[in-house]
Amino acid sequence: DTDVDYLLHDRMRWQNLYTEAPVKVFFPDRASVGRTMFDLKVMVVDNNYIGIGNFAEEGKMKLVALGDTVTVGGSSVVFKPTRYYSDYKDLPIRIVKNETFAAVNSYLSRLKVIQAEMDGAILHLSITDYSHFRAEDLLNTLVEKYNEDAIREKNRIAVNTGAFINERILIIQNELGDVEDSLARFKKAERIVDVESAASEYLSQSKEFNADIVQLETRISTAQFMKDYLSSSFKAMTTIPVSSGLEDEH
């Protein structure tokens, strides 16, 4: 957990052990973790027990069995050994639990995001931390979460675009049916009157109807192409081209 520090006093400074601490703290009650704070001194006693005490109180420690649930800082806490457990016998380890909100703000204050080039799409991320291993994990997690969010957004766009295309196809098909019905009624009506007197008007309106039919059929083909494009497993994570040829009539 990034809101827990495992520290070893090494000469004149505190060394952050991160994943190499002798024990790891677990919180059975996750609901209260965000508000929990404590500053403990922990000592490896033997294979089954550790000593814990308030870091600010010298000499006051109590035995705690590994794996048992104890109350620390108002929350339930379990201490479990790591593979480094035996390396720290009789060495006092300081375990500091920070409020989650405070820990997040601390990391944000040390995070830097720099644009590689003006108007470029590449960003350089860096963070300052006591442990370069933790800094690396933090940056990798940020990139991973960013990619997950980007995929979810592309999926949302693909679903919405697919629904839009289906709606356009239905509207265009209805328009095509109306045009074809109008053309059929016009041809039927024109057969009743004198052919010579109606020839010019017939040809003119027939061309207009046919042009409308071609246009609508083209729009249907375009919409069907975009639907197939989004349904493709290879292109499911991409957005539709900007010039799709589809118009939103709402």
Side-chain angles (χ1 to χ4, degrees):
D1 295 326
T2 53
D3 54 355
V4 180
D5 290 317
Y6 301 87
L7 307 171
L8 173 67
H9 197 264
D10 183 16
R11 297 184 179 90
M12 301 296 293
R13 66 186 183 88
W14 288 101
Q15 176 187 352
N16 195 311
L17 300 176
Y18 190 38
T19 58
E20 297 181 356
V23 295
K24 184 172 176 60
V25 177
F26 292 87
F27 301 90
D29 182 13
R30 299 298 302 178
S32 63
V33 172
R35 301 182 301 273
T36 301
M37 295 177 59
F38 55 72
D39 191 347
L40 297 178
K41 179 169 61 176
V42 176
M43 187 88 71
V44 174
V45 176
D46 56 31
N47 291 337
N48 300 310
Y49 290 90
I50 60 173
I52 68 170
N54 192 310
F55 180 79
E57 298 178 1
E58 282 293 331
K60 294 184 178 181
M61 301 187 75
K62 67 176 181 179
L63 285 179
V64 173
L66 294 170
D68 279 0
T69 301
V70 295
T71 300
V72 179
S75 295
S76 298
V77 175
V78 177
F79 296 90
K80 294 185 179 180
T82 70
R83 62 191 183 99
Y84 301 100
Y85 183 78
S86 60
D87 297 338
Y88 291 90
K89 185 172 174 50
D90 298 327
L91 287 176
I93 304 299
R94 184 180 183 183
I95 301 179
V96 180
K97 168 65 173 69
N98 302 293
E99 283 187 328
T100 302
F101 183 76
V104 170
N105 284 336
S106 175
Y107 288 119
L108 287 176
S109 68
R110 292 180 273 122
L111 176 66
K112 290 184 179 180
V113 182
I114 301 175
Q115 196 170 17
E117 297 179 1
M118 186 68 68
D119 299 326
I122 298 177
L123 301 176
H124 290 309
L125 304 180
S126 64
I127 191 168
T128 304
D129 195 65
Y130 292 107
S131 169
H132 71 274
F133 294 109
R134 184 167 66 179
E136 183 178 355
D137 287 345
L138 284 168
L139 294 177
N140 288 336
T141 301
L142 282 175
V143 173
E144 180 182 340
K145 294 301 180 182
Y146 173 83
N147 289 335
E148 289 177 359
D149 289 343
I151 291 174
R152 280 196 294 269
E153 179 63 14
K154 288 185 177 180
N155 283 337
R156 186 188 65 81
I157 293 173
V159 170
N160 291 342
T161 304
F164 169 78
I165 290 175
N166 285 334
E167 182 182 353
R168 294 304 99 192
I169 289 176
L170 290 176
I171 292 174
I172 295 169
Q173 286 176 336
N174 289 335
E175 290 177 356
L176 180 59
D178 292 341
V179 171
E180 289 178 334
D181 289 343
S182 297
L183 179 59
R185 288 194 300 271
F186 173 76
K187 289 180 177 180
K188 183 177 180 180
E190 288 303 316
R191 291 193 184 98
I192 300 175
V193 301
D194 179 65
V195 175
E196 291 183 1
S197 63
S200 178
E201 182 181 358
Y202 173 83
L203 290 175
S204 176
Q205 294 192 28
S206 180
K207 288 180 180 180
E208 291 180 5
F209 284 131
N210 286 326
D212 288 342
I213 291 173
V214 171
Q215 182 183 17
L216 290 170
E217 288 178 340
T218 301
R219 289 168 63 188
I220 289 177
S221 297
T222 302
Q224 189 63 48
F225 167 77
M226 297 309 302
K227 183 178 180 181
D228 294 341
Y229 180 92
L230 286 172
S231 299
S232 169
S233 60
F234 176 73
K235 297 178 179 178
M237 294 300 101
T238 63
T239 57
I240 64 171
V242 175
S243 300
S244 63
L246 297 177
E247 300 175 355
D248 190 348
E249 299 181 4
H250 292 311

